[in-house]
Amino acid sequence: MMARIRLALRLTALLTTLLAALPLHYAWRLFGRRSPWPRRFLGLVARIVGARPRIVGTPLTHRVVIVSNHLSWIDILLLAGSTGTAFIAKSELATVPLVGWLCRMNHTIFVSRGDRLGVADQIAQIRDTLAADWPVTLFPEGTTGDGLALAPFKASLLAALDPPPPGIRVQPVRIDYGDATTDLAWVGDEHGKDHALRVLGRKGSFAATLHFCDPFAPEDYGSRKAIAVEARRRIEGI
């Protein structure tokens, strides 16, 4: 019963926050200004679902590719709220009601892993986003993990850094939910909707630590595979 009440209260807070942020976002766009509201909205949503962010290190917000471990959809809220980053996401999300629309508002780059003919276009989209001075985040594990160990990193999307655009840096990030990890990590065959409802109905708040590692210049490592190895090494070393 209490879980349902918490769920209802959080959904109400989410809707209220969205309705408040939308007019402000479009007002910024109307005057040709870069809107801060997607970032602020997603950061507020993280707090509504119970996250209490703690930043370790110095997040970069310009000319950067962020490489992070991946535990839950809450990762996206936290990283967007702290850096304003765009994301690389699977193309299926583009058709999910509301979620797809919110993704597009935040400059998400949709990719299809099975579309080998479209790889060049996907790489061009990533490079164009970086050229427009948006941070870009990718999750090279390719799926969510249990928070206990890192899966192997896939280097395919790092092809946009081979060769890297001038002045771009790579910043590895490790996200840690502490004692709440087993509750929040999205693993196994749980449906996305079921996972979201379970998290929204969860009691209390939780610590969410984002460890921003020292950034590095991708050209110092020569290839996308070497960049992936170095990023994983830094995350694993935390």
Side-chain angles (χ1 to χ4, degrees), residues 45-61:
V45 171
R47 288 189 168 275
I48 289 170
V49 302
R52 298 297 176 263
R54 184 172 76 94
I55 305 298
V56 178
T58 303
L60 298 185
T61 57

Side-chain angles (χ1 to χ4, degrees), residues 1 5 8 14-15 22 30 41 51 80 92 104 106-107 120 137-138 146-147 173 177 192 215:
M1 183 63 172
I5 293 173
L14 289 173
L15 180 59
L22 275 178
L30 181 64
F41 169 72
E92 292 85 349
R104 283 187 288 272
N106 198 56
H107 303 277
T137 292
L138 58 89
D146 60 10
V173 179
Y177 293 120

Side-chain angles (χ1 to χ4, degrees), residues 10-194:
R10 282 175 172 154
L11 288 174
T12 300
L14 289 173
L15 180 59
T16 301
T17 303
L18 177 61
L19 293 175
L22 275 178
L24 295 167
H25 168 70
Y26 285 116
W28 254 252
R29 295 288 299 275
L30 181 64
F31 289 100
R33 297 177 61 186
R34 186 166 178 165
S35 173
W37 292 101
R39 173 179 181 173
R40 293 176 182 176
F41 169 72
L42 293 171
L44 284 170
V45 171
R47 288 189 168 275
I48 289 170
V49 302
R52 298 297 176 263
R54 184 172 76 94
I55 305 298
V56 178
T58 303
L60 298 185
T61 57
H62 299 281
R63 310 289 295 163
V64 61
V65 171
I66 295 168
V67 178
S68 176
N69 65 319
H70 196 19
L71 304 172
S72 168
W73 50 272
I74 303 170
D75 305 345
I76 294 169
L77 307 176
L78 292 165
L79 286 167
S82 58
T83 68
T85 182
F87 293 88
I88 299 171
K90 58 185 181 181
S91 57
E92 292 85 349
L93 283 178
T95 60
V96 177
L98 184 59
V99 172
W101 175 66
L102 288 171
C103 286
R104 283 187 288 272
M105 284 183 64
N106 198 56
H107 303 277
T108 296
I109 303 161
F110 296 106
V111 299
S112 176
R113 292 173 190 153
D115 183 13
R116 295 190 177 185
L117 295 177
V119 169
D121 182 58
Q122 294 167 5
I123 292 172
Q125 288 184 62
I126 296 170
R127 293 177 72 93
D128 287 347
T129 303
L130 291 169
D133 201 22
W134 286 101
V136 173
T137 292
L138 58 89
F139 300 110
E141 291 171 289
T143 186
T144 51
D146 60 10
L148 303 177
L150 287 174
F153 278 14
K154 299 175 181 178
S156 55
L157 290 176
L158 287 167
L161 299 180
D162 193 5
I168 291 294
R169 288 172 290 175
V170 175
Q171 185 164 42
V173 179
R174 181 155 198 154
I175 300 174
D176 180 11
Y177 293 120
D179 294 339
T181 296
T182 54
D183 288 343
L184 300 174
W186 183 5
V187 293
D189 57 0
E190 184 178 25
H191 192 277
K193 179 181 177 181
D194 295 334

